[in-house]
């Protein structure tokens, strides 16, 4: 009986003051889960193995990230009909134009491969971020 009186008094007090009693509903917050970016693989030297020619005009977007440094984006434009060796030469030329020659050495190997080596400074990662070129594949190998 005491509980009933206390409940009635509380309801009367709430009504008299003009408040509405709304019970709190506990809900579990559902924040989107963001996966951590995978750690970049670093090396002092990379081999870019080019396979197949370009089946369309397009762009391959590479990114070089020195360990602890600022990423360097390198777009490589390839023309339709360009063969495997020609694509390799275009990639090599774009890397040579974009990278500081005091820090990186870029050279061709076996006609279809491009070697990128550090001369000085930290190890670095290379990624193929995006490609609109059909047919041409680039395998990135740490050496």
């Amino acid at each position: 009986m005491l509980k009933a009186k206390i409940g009635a008094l509380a309801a009367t007090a709430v009504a008299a003051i003009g408040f509405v009693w709304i019970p709190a509903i506990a809900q579990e917050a559902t924040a989107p889960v963001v996966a951590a970016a995978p750690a970049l693989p670093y090396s002092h030297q990379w081999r870019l193995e080019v396979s197949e020619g370009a089946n369309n005009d397009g762009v391959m977007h590479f990114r070089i990230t020195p360990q602890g440094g600022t990423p360097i984006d390198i777009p490589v434009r390839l023309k339709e009909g360009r063969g495997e060796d020609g694509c390799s030469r275009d990639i090599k030329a774009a890397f040579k134009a974009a990278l500081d020659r005091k820090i990186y050495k870029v050279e061709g190997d076996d006609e279809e491969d491009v070697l990128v080596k550090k001369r000085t400074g930290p190890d670095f990662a290379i990624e193929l971020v995006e490609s609109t070129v059909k047919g041409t594949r680039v395998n990135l190998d740490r050496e």
Side-chain angles (χ1 to χ4, degrees):
M1 179 145 173
L2 183 59
K3 274 187 172 181
K5 286 186 178 181
I6 292 174
L9 286 174
T12 305
V14 167
I17 299 173
F19 291 102
V20 178
W21 180 263
I22 301 173
I25 299 173
Q27 292 182 340
E28 185 176 324
T30 55
V33 177
V34 178
L40 292 174
Y42 295 101
S43 181
H44 68 284
Q45 177 174 312
W46 287 85
R47 178 178 297 272
L48 287 65
E49 297 175 347
V50 180
S51 300
E52 306 287 330
N55 294 336
N56 66 311
D57 289 351
V59 178
M60 293 185 134
H61 178 184
F62 292 91
R63 179 171 294 141
I64 292 190
T65 306
Q67 197 164 15
T70 303
I72 303 163
D73 290 333
I74 304 173
V76 180
R77 292 178 185 3
L78 299 175
K79 294 285 187 185
E80 180 178 4
R82 190 78 160 136
E84 178 178 278
D85 294 350
C87 290
S88 177
R89 285 192 299 273
D90 292 345
I91 292 169
K92 180 177 73 173
F95 272 66
K96 279 188 166 191
L99 298 175
D100 185 341
R101 292 176 189 206
K102 294 176 187 168
I103 299 173
Y104 300 99
K105 180 178 183 180
V106 180
E107 61 187 32
D109 186 43
D110 297 333
E111 297 300 316
E112 70 275 355
D113 292 354
V114 177
L115 297 177
V116 183
K117 306 173 185 180
K118 78 171 183 176
R119 292 181 191 266
T120 184
D123 286 355
F124 59 97
I126 296 183
E127 305 168 87
L128 177 57
V129 179
E130 179 182 26
S131 178
T132 60
V133 178
K134 302 211 183 315
T136 304
R137 297 180 315 278
V138 178
N139 188 35
L140 306 170
D141 290 327
R142 289 187 287 177
E143 294 197 340

